[in-house]
Amino acid sequence: MKQQPAIFFDRDGVLNTDIGYAYLPEHITWVDGAIDAIKIANHNGYLVFVVTNQSGVARGMYTENDVMNLHAWMQQQALLQGAVIHGFAYCPHHPVEGTGAYKIACECRKPAPGMILGLAKTHAIDLSKSQLIGDKPTDVEAAAAAGITGHLYSGGNLASFVSRIISHP
């Protein structure tokens, strides 16, 4: 199977405004240029994935089903505008604030690379040509741990940001 490069986007604070523990469609406000950023990645041969820590599950604020439903909605909203998100990965755990089975230190919670490596394995991703865009140092640390380039996004038009990193990785 031919490997393709990917761009991994963090969710809250990169694709959508971070309001803290978003889990319903009405919580989502796309950041300026988010859909166009996905389209730019698509048109430049990148697979697009979202990797997100979702400790609200571990904290009992919402369920994994809520997360999956929101991601399906986001994927559909992007697709309606011609942007393809190829998949989502999320970590429902938290090593301190979690409850029950969710209170664990795991390999999927960023800054660990588990979500990225898992997607790379199941989607034939060329990690040597892949990148991650996040808004926290832990996002960039996860990218480094997975062997990919990480970029810290601090706001502004996401499409312009993606255009810059694609032309100067």
Side-chain angles (χ1 to χ4, degrees), residues 6 10 14 17 23 54 66-67 70 77 91 97 105-106 109 136 146 148 165 168:
D10 177 47
V14 176
T17 304
Y23 67 94
Q54 290 298 310
D66 291 328
V67 174
L70 178 61
Q77 293 302 303
C91 175
E97 302 297 326
C106 62
R109 182 172 176 77
K136 294 181 176 64
I148 67 174
I165 69 164
H168 300 96

Side-chain angles (χ1 to χ4, degrees), residues 27 65 77 98 124 127 140 161:
H27 295 159
N65 199 48
Q77 293 302 303
L127 290 176
V140 176
F161 188 86

Side-chain angles (χ1 to χ4, degrees), residues 48-162:
V48 172
F49 296 96
V50 177
V51 289
T52 178
N53 287 342
Q54 290 298 310
S55 70
V57 173
R59 297 167 195 261
M61 300 170 77
Y62 48 88
T63 67
E64 286 194 66
N65 199 48
D66 291 328
V67 174
M68 291 184 282
N69 288 338
L70 178 61
H71 290 168
W73 177 85
M74 291 177 76
Q75 193 169 35
Q76 183 63 28
Q77 293 302 303
L79 195 56
L80 288 171
Q81 298 178 62
V84 178
I85 300 172
H86 295 90
F88 289 79
Y90 67 93
C91 175
H93 309 113
H94 195 282
V96 177
E97 302 297 326
T99 58
Y102 293 110
K103 186 176 182 175
I104 62 168
C106 62
E107 284 302 309
C108 61
R109 182 172 176 77
K110 294 179 287 181
M115 288 187 279
I116 298 165
L117 296 176
L119 287 167
K121 189 179 290 184
T122 59
H123 294 278
I125 295 170
D126 183 347
L127 290 176
S128 71
K129 296 178 183 166
S130 296
Q131 304 179 58
L132 177 140
I133 300 170
D135 65 327
K136 294 181 176 64
T138 52
D139 297 320
V140 176
E141 291 170 32
I148 67 174
T149 303
H151 303 276
L152 200 56
Y153 170 74
S154 58
N157 185 288
L158 187 59
S160 297
F161 188 86
V162 168

